[in-house]
Amino acid sequence: MPGTRGPVPVPLHPNGGDRDLTQEILNAVDEHETVPTNELFPHTSQAEIKAALDRLASRQMVEYDTNDKEHVVLTQEGQDIVDEGSHEYKVWDAVHKAGKLSPKDQALSTPSAKLGQGNAIKLKWIKKDGDAFVPLTDSVTDTTREQLRYASEHHAFEDAKLLKDYQKRKLVATQKVITYIARKGPRWAREIPVEVTDLTAEMIADGSWKTATFKPYNFKARGVLGEAGHGGTGALHPLNKVREEFRKIFFNMGFVEMPTARFVDSGFWNFDALFVPQQHPARDLQDTFYVSDPAEAGPPGADESVDVVLAETAEEDDDESDKPTSSDPATRAAETTSKLDYNEYFENVKRVHQDGAFGSIGYRYPYNDAETRRLVLRTHTTAISAYCLHRLAANPRPCRYFSIDRVFRNETVDATHLAEFHQIEGVIADYNLTLGGLQAFLKRFFRNIGVPDLKFKPAYNPYTEPSMEVYAWHEGLGKLVEIGNSGMFRPEMLLAMGLPEDLRCYGFGLSLERPTMIKYGISNIRELLGHKVDIGDIEKMPAVRLDRE
């Protein structure tokens, strides 16, 4: 809403109502050399006084000093003691009036009376005589009541050492009180003059701007938080920031991004193709989310949506004879899939599991075809990696694939685990690869994202052998945390796809959340992802991190 241009009288009642506190302060300063606001305006709130003083100080009409002081104030129990006497006094008074009083008497059965009995005995006001209390004196001085009355009147104790004792007994508390001392400023005036908020053409023409009083700018006022940059609606979530960093690193290292839009996948691609036995605990309901409608998929086959994307992005072999003849991605995808026999691949996988093949003794159990058709929320993006590696059998060659997408596991939620999270996965296929080469690659990869020191631990995965867990130091948690898993894909998994024996494959995966937590110093994953995340904290996250030398 635009402001009024030209001369504007300052409103007499800026805070509404019928009182002009600003003018009252001007009158008080004119009458007195200095004005202690707590004495002249005892019933006006500190916020109202401050607002009026700032209004005048911004125009240099008055100046003021601020005094902060801790005042002692009584709690409700403390005020009751001032009004009626201390607990021990009430006990003594009841015993003194009765001459002799049983502890079971109604006057001594209240919680405060039970507290007062001990103090009264300690002060030697009463004593126990058989089964009753009797007074030891005809008059007492209620010191507690007098000290609290003094504190109520003077907002302090005569002996400062008493404060902690009475605070411990919850009879008093401290309260910060702010007062002001006002005096005349360099541009003193008894009234706020009419001010000009804007310089107009008319004022320039008639020369009135020379004598006009312009309303001063308040350069100390806080501005409105903008919605650009890292804050507001334009903010990128920290996960998205780190995700983009990973994508750039993958692209710079020659990787091709796999299309991973299939959140729901079949048991064949999610488990069987990866040499995960059908009796593996990972397939249990407590570990995997199964889809009930529809409950089953068809037999494994080509996925045109994946094939077309790969045909658009994947590099072909240098051998001219193997290059596709068409420039249309859909046509090229069809040419590639025409070289693949999904039925043969299914039978190879079944044979490896049930009877053993390709140098493996297998698991030797009756293979259940129905288990391969069960639909699940994918537990890893490796299901897509298996599909892409099988597609590679149509034209075996060195390649590098990666993906970053969401996966789902029936986990117990804690500081480092969620039921859904993002998995980063990389697959490198090449000839004559070694485990040492995988370790060297992982060190180089994580060094690019600012995680220089890695630890490797032997592990077991059904589809990789050998396998390694990858650990990095988390400053926030103060310990090593697992940030990834890796290994070399098993021959019985790759050979069943139709890949040549000397074409080996690295596989590595990590969550997107763990590296993000390390980079941003977040110790609880629930502060990063999920319905309990504070949007305000996300908007305050830095636009960039200065964590690189």
Side-chain angles (χ1 to χ4, degrees):
M1 181 177 179
T4 306
R5 298 171 65 88
V8 179
V10 178
L12 294 178
H13 313 298
N15 298 321
D18 56 358
R19 182 185 184 189
D20 184 8
L21 181 59
T22 306
Q23 189 59 53
E24 292 180 25
I25 291 176
L26 287 175
N27 294 339
V29 171
D30 186 45
E31 185 177 347
H32 307 279
E33 184 175 346
T34 58
V35 174
T37 58
N38 61 316
E39 295 180 7
L40 294 183
F41 305 98
H43 303 298
T44 305
S45 70
Q46 177 265 335
E48 290 179 296
I49 293 288
K50 179 74 162 54
L53 288 173
D54 284 342
R55 199 157 178 257
L56 296 170
S58 67
R59 295 165 173 82
Q60 298 185 0
M61 295 175 65
V62 301
E63 296 174 338
Y64 68 90
D65 299 320
T66 303
N67 296 320
D68 297 349
K69 190 175 182 181
E70 291 284 345
H71 276 197
V72 174
V73 293
L74 302 187
T75 64
Q76 184 58 52
E77 185 179 1
Q79 187 60 50
D80 291 343
I81 288 176
V82 170
D83 296 338
E84 303 170 5
S86 65
H87 305 316
E88 54 268 26
Y89 175 81
K90 292 178 183 178
V91 170
W92 171 83
D93 187 54
V95 173
H96 181 258
K97 288 179 178 177
K100 191 174 186 179
L101 200 61
S102 169
K104 297 181 181 180
D105 190 275
Q106 186 176 358
L108 301 181
S109 61
T110 63
S112 61
K114 291 180 180 179
L115 178 65
Q117 291 173 18
N119 290 336
I121 294 173
K122 189 176 180 179
L123 293 169
K124 297 184 179 180
W125 291 355
I126 62 173
K127 72 173 183 178
K128 195 76 175 288
D129 184 13
D131 294 333
F133 289 117
V134 295
L136 293 177
T137 179
D138 290 333
S139 63
V140 295
T141 301
D142 194 350
T143 306
T144 300
R145 184 178 190 179
E146 292 178 359
Q147 289 173 340
L148 288 177
R149 182 181 286 121
Y150 182 92
S152 176
E153 294 173 356
H154 299 87
H155 301 292
F157 286 101
E158 286 184 288
D159 185 355
K161 296 179 181 178
L162 294 172
L163 176 60
K164 288 187 177 181
D165 179 53
Y166 280 103
Q167 281 181 318
K168 190 180 295 184
R169 294 167 63 181
K170 297 183 179 180
L171 299 178
V172 302
T174 56
Q175 188 178 71
K176 187 176 182 179
V177 177
I178 302 175
T179 59
Y180 305 97
I181 304 296
R183 58 186 178 276
K184 294 179 180 179
R187 293 188 180 181
W188 161 255
R190 287 201 59 179
E191 295 180 353
I192 298 179
V194 174
E195 295 177 338
V196 176
T197 60
D198 203 357
L199 182 63
T200 64
E202 292 79 6
M203 295 175 66
I204 296 176
D206 61 21
S208 60
W209 63 272
K210 298 177 182 179
T211 57
T213 300
F214 287 91
K215 183 178 180 179
Y217 285 103
N218 183 6
F219 293 104
K220 295 181 180 180
R222 288 187 174 184
V224 177
L225 180 64
E227 294 189 349
H230 76 284
T233 57
L236 275 179
H237 192 283
L239 282 174
N240 284 336
K241 296 176 188 177
V242 177
R243 180 179 183 272
E244 286 307 305
E245 289 184 37
F246 274 110
R247 291 184 77 241
K248 291 177 182 177
I249 291 169
F250 276 117
F251 288 136
N252 289 336
M253 299 179 78
F255 282 77
V256 172
E257 187 167 17
M258 293 182 285
T260 52
R262 296 193 325 214
F263 282 8
V264 177
D265 218 324
S266 69
F268 177 82
W269 293 112
N270 198 78
F271 296 119
D272 293 82
L274 299 173
F275 202 53
V276 178
Q278 294 184 341
Q279 299 86 4
H280 195 280
R283 299 199 186 204
D284 293 343
L285 284 173
Q286 63 262 32
D287 294 309
T288 303
F289 294 109
Y290 285 91
V291 178
S292 59
D293 186 17
E296 289 189 353
D303 187 333
E304 185 179 358
S305 62
V306 175
D307 293 332
V308 170
V309 173
L310 289 175
E312 289 176 339
T313 58
E315 297 179 0
E316 298 297 334
D317 187 48
D318 291 335
D319 186 354
E320 293 291 334
S321 63
D322 289 333
K323 287 192 175 181
T325 58
S326 174
S327 60
D328 177 49
T331 302
R332 297 205 308 271
E335 290 177 3
T336 300
T337 55
S338 66
K339 302 176 184 179
L340 300 172
D341 188 336
Y342 284 92
N343 290 330
E344 180 183 0
Y345 178 40
F346 177 81
E347 291 300 326
N348 285 344
V349 171
K350 179 176 182 179
R351 189 154 50 96
V352 170
H353 279 256
Q354 184 170 275
D355 305 314
F358 308 105
S360 171
I361 64 172
Y363 292 118
R364 292 171 291 180
Y365 64 83
Y367 191 77
N368 185 357
D369 292 357
E371 190 70 24
T372 68
R373 296 192 296 271
R374 295 184 70 183
L375 287 175
V376 300
L377 287 179
R378 67 179 178 210
T379 60
H380 44 199
T381 53
T382 318
I384 296 294
S385 300
Y387 181 89
C388 294
L389 287 174
H390 174 248
R391 187 178 180 277
L392 190 64
N395 182 16
R397 64 193 186 277
C399 67
R400 295 184 172 197
Y401 291 133
F402 85 93
S403 65
I404 306 175
D405 213 335
R406 189 164 296 199
V407 297
F408 309 87
R409 295 182 188 176
N410 200 352
E411 299 266 15
T412 299
V413 176
D414 58 27
T416 56
H417 294 85
L418 289 176
E420 57 178 301
F421 57 94
H422 296 82
Q423 181 176 335
I424 302 168
E425 181 161 356
V427 173
I428 300 176
D430 207 337
Y431 296 98
N432 303 316
L433 296 177
T434 64
L435 184 65
L438 175 59
Q439 290 179 324
F441 172 83
L442 290 174
K443 288 180 179 179
R444 184 167 70 255
F445 177 82
F446 279 98
R447 190 160 50 244
N448 287 334
I449 63 172
V451 183
D453 298 321
L454 298 182
K455 301 290 184 183
F456 299 103
K457 177 184 176 183
Y460 167 77
N461 292 315
Y463 44 91
T464 58
E465 178 60 35
S467 306
M468 301 181 300
E469 292 174 347
V470 185
Y471 287 79
W473 183 260
H474 190 302
E475 289 292 342
L477 296 175
K479 64 179 182 179
L480 284 169
V481 296
E482 182 187 351
I483 61 172
N485 209 326
S486 64
M488 299 183 68
F489 283 114
R490 301 179 70 102
E492 54 265 58
M493 173 189 159
L494 299 177
L495 294 175
M497 296 175 176
L499 294 171
E501 290 187 13
D502 56 347
L503 186 67
R504 299 175 182 173
C505 189
Y506 293 150
F508 61 95
L510 57 145
S511 77
L512 179 62
E513 285 75 9
R514 297 280 179 88
T516 304
M517 291 169 66
I518 292 174
K519 283 173 170 290
Y520 283 89
I522 299 171
S523 59
N524 192 328
I525 195 172
R526 288 165 288 193
E527 297 174 6
L528 181 67
L529 181 66
H531 65 285
K532 294 185 177 182
V533 172
D534 188 335
I535 299 300
D537 289 344
I538 297 299
E539 292 179 350
K540 293 173 187 175
M541 288 284 185
V544 295
R545 302 184 320 276
L546 304 178
D547 58 356
R548 297 181 182 175
E549 295 181 359

